[in-house]
């Protein structure tokens, strides 16, 4: 199994790499998975990247198969930690991911970014809850060792939020929020299947036309296209999911701390200390995804617009938003070519 050791304690991150390309102008895209569905969920993206002169590297987060699990002390810590303590914990994860990128760049002679960002360099992206740790890299960069910041600067071009839910941005949910796990009408033994069907469904959102989040479809997927989950065989489901890391570490750390993510978001877009000023942020959302993605996108754009008007002289990191029509939260599985077209556009701008 390919792994990279990212600190002096022997911490390892497992990865999958499509490999070097003959064209020396290729872009390297590091992609971080979300909750439960870990790196193998992106396997259909692997053959699409080299055709677009992209080297795709899938990073498996700590506590998921192949990477170093959290210690018992770590797990106990995140259950009792306050916001400041959680951010300290996240600083360590940030350094691990940044060190992974830096070491990968050096060991594989990755080409530097061209001045206009159209060639070479690296881009970091997170999918779904993977944005918690992914966003923290630019958000908490001021806490990284200076030499690590300087080493990555000629390479790191942007961060891509792919299907980022509102709670991973510290944005409170609307009163009309729905989640199958919290539905009292679903028996406990059926909640996992209900959640998987829901999160991988296709939703027709009238709110995309009206521009009003109250018009989003919160509960019922549309029958016009079957859920991604329904297309998986039992063997595939086993290969692409891990049911232990989510409740063990993801849930108590990430979902229980909206204030932490609100602070990370502020540090990304309007930081007190600017690090990597040329690194901008892109956002990919799919138009038939679950409500939390669309709502998060709406509210983030609104927040940044208001901030810019109130503080016109304040430095802000630039945000580019790109939508993917007729696609859902699992576009990397159902529509990998369409999704990689969007990635290809964004990693070169």
């Amino acid at each position: 199994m390919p792994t990279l050791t990212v600190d002096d304690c022997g911490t390892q991150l497992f990865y999958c790499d499509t490999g070097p390309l003959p064209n020396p102008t290729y872009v390297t895209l590091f992609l971080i998975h979300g909750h439960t569905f870990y790196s193998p969920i992106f396997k259909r993206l692997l053959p699409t990247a080299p055709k677009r002169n992209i080297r795709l590297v899938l990073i498996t987060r700590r506590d998921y198969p192949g990477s170093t699990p959290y210690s018992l002390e770590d797990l106990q810590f995140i259950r009792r930690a306050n916001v400041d303590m959680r951010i300290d914990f996240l600083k360590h994860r940030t350094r691990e991911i940044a060190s992974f990128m830096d070491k990968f760049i050096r060991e594989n002679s990755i080409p530097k970014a061209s001045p206009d960002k159209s060639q070479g360099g690296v881009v970091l992206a997170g999918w779904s809850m993977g944005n918690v740790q992914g966003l923290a890299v630019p958000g908490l960069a001021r806490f990284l060792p200076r030499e690590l910041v300087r080493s990555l600067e000629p390479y790191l071009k942007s961060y891509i939020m792919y299907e980022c839910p509102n709670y991973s941005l510290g944005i409170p949910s609307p009163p009309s929020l729905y989640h199958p796990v919290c539905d009292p009408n679903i028996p406990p033994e059926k909640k996992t299947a209900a959640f998987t069907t829901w999160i991988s469904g296709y939703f027709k959102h009238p709110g995309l036309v009206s521009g009003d989040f109250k018009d989003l479809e919160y509960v019922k997927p549309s029958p016009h296209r079957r859920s991604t989950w329904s297309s998986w065989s039992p063997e595939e489901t086993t290969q692409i999911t891990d049911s232990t890391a989510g409740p063990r570490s993801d849930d108590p750390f990430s979902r229980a701390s909206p204030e932490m993510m609100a602070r990370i978001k502020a540090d990304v877009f309007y930081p007190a200390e600017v690090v990597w000023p040329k690194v901008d942020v892109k956002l990919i959302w799919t138009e038939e995804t679950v409500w939390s993605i669309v709502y998060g996108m709406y509210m983030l754009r609104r927040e940044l617009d208001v901030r810019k008007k109130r503080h016109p002289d304040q430095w802000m990191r630039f945000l580019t938003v790109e939508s993917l029509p007729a696609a859902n939260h699992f576009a990397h599985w159902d529509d990998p070519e369409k999704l990689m077209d969007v990635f290809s556009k964004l990693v070169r701008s």
Side-chain angles (χ1 to χ4, degrees):
M1 295 193 303
T3 60
L4 280 183
T5 301
V6 294
D7 60 23
D8 294 336
C9 300
T11 302
Q12 294 185 325
L13 295 181
F14 176 76
Y15 68 95
C16 179
D17 172 24
T18 57
L21 297 169
N23 187 331
T25 65
Y26 71 81
V27 179
T28 301
L29 173 62
F30 296 106
L31 182 55
I32 304 172
H33 64 86
H35 186 295
T36 302
F37 303 95
Y38 71 115
S39 292
I41 191 65
F42 299 126
K43 70 178 184 178
R44 290 189 174 185
L45 280 180
L46 296 175
T48 72
K51 294 185 291 185
R52 293 163 175 83
N53 207 31
I54 294 174
R55 183 173 186 170
L56 179 60
V57 181
L58 310 177
I59 302 175
T60 297
R61 294 191 286 115
R62 293 277 305 273
D63 229 29
Y64 280 86
S67 293
T68 301
Y70 293 128
S71 66
L72 179 60
E73 291 75 17
D74 288 331
L75 297 174
Q76 292 174 338
F77 176 84
I78 61 178
R79 281 170 168 77
R80 65 173 186 269
N82 59 29
V83 174
D84 290 331
M85 295 164 68
R86 287 171 186 268
I87 289 179
D88 283 341
F89 181 84
L90 198 52
K91 290 175 187 176
H92 290 287
R93 311 290 78 77
T94 298
R95 183 167 180 173
E96 290 166 359
I97 294 171
S99 295
F100 178 96
M101 292 192 296
D102 185 58
K103 192 169 185 178
F104 189 93
I105 287 168
R106 289 185 285 104
E107 291 187 358
N108 292 276
S109 301
I110 299 300
K112 292 182 179 180
S114 63
D116 64 356
K117 297 187 178 182
S118 65
Q119 300 178 352
V122 305
V123 172
L124 177 63
W127 171 60
S128 197
M129 191 178 278
N131 284 288
V132 172
Q133 293 188 15
L135 274 170
V137 174
L140 298 176
R142 68 186 186 277
F143 298 107
L144 293 172
R146 294 293 97 182
E147 62 271 18
L148 181 54
V149 170
R150 287 193 295 268
S151 181
L152 285 172
E153 193 155 22
Y155 299 91
L156 186 58
K157 301 193 292 188
S158 60
Y159 178 79
I160 298 178
M161 295 186 286
Y162 165 44
E163 285 283 287
C164 184
N166 64 298
Y167 50 80
S168 292
L169 292 165
I171 296 172
S173 297
S176 49
L177 105 91
Y178 174 81
H179 198 291
V181 174
C182 304
D183 189 335
N185 297 314
I186 301 176
E189 67 275 10
K190 295 183 177 181
K191 286 187 183 294
T192 298
F195 166 74
T196 309
T197 300
W198 177 79
I199 194 70
S200 68
Y202 285 80
F203 294 81
K204 290 294 187 180
H205 295 293
L208 297 186
V209 177
S210 69
D212 190 340
F213 69 83
K214 295 177 183 177
D215 292 333
L216 298 178
E217 173 55 58
Y218 288 80
V219 182
K220 191 174 181 179
S222 169
H224 78 284
R225 189 171 177 181
R226 67 177 183 171
S227 69
T228 310
W229 173 74
S230 66
S231 70
W232 296 331
S233 67
E235 292 76 20
E236 284 177 322
T237 303
T238 300
Q239 291 170 1
I240 62 181
T241 61
D242 177 81
S243 60
T244 57
R248 182 176 59 215
S249 55
D250 278 349
D251 291 345
F253 177 71
S254 302
R255 289 182 174 170
S257 191
E259 183 183 346
M260 174 190 72
M261 289 314 301
R263 286 168 57 175
I264 297 297
K265 174 187 61 184
D267 284 337
V268 170
F269 289 103
Y270 36 92
E273 178 186 342
V274 180
V275 179
W276 295 327
K278 295 182 180 179
V279 172
D280 52 10
V281 179
K282 329 277 191 179
L283 186 151
I284 302 174
W285 65 284
T286 59
E287 294 186 6
E288 297 185 7
T289 187
V290 290
W291 67 265
S292 59
I293 308 299
V294 186
Y295 179 73
M297 180 272 299
Y298 278 169
M299 299 306 290
L300 176 62
R301 294 180 77 169
R302 182 181 300 180
E303 175 184 336
L304 296 181
D305 286 345
V306 170
R307 182 90 187 186
K308 191 66 176 178
K309 290 175 182 177
R310 291 180 178 174
H311 306 277
D313 296 327
Q314 183 182 26
W315 186 91
M316 287 183 62
R317 205 175 296 275
F318 189 72
L319 174 68
T320 300
V321 177
E322 192 81 21
S323 68
L324 190 60
N328 76 344
H329 196 54
F330 289 78
H332 44 275
W333 187 275
D334 286 346
D335 298 288
E337 295 283 354
K338 285 170 55 177
L339 176 62
M340 190 52 70
D341 279 341
V342 177
F343 272 123
S344 181
K345 173 184 175 181
L346 295 182
V347 300
R348 294 184 171 90
S349 62

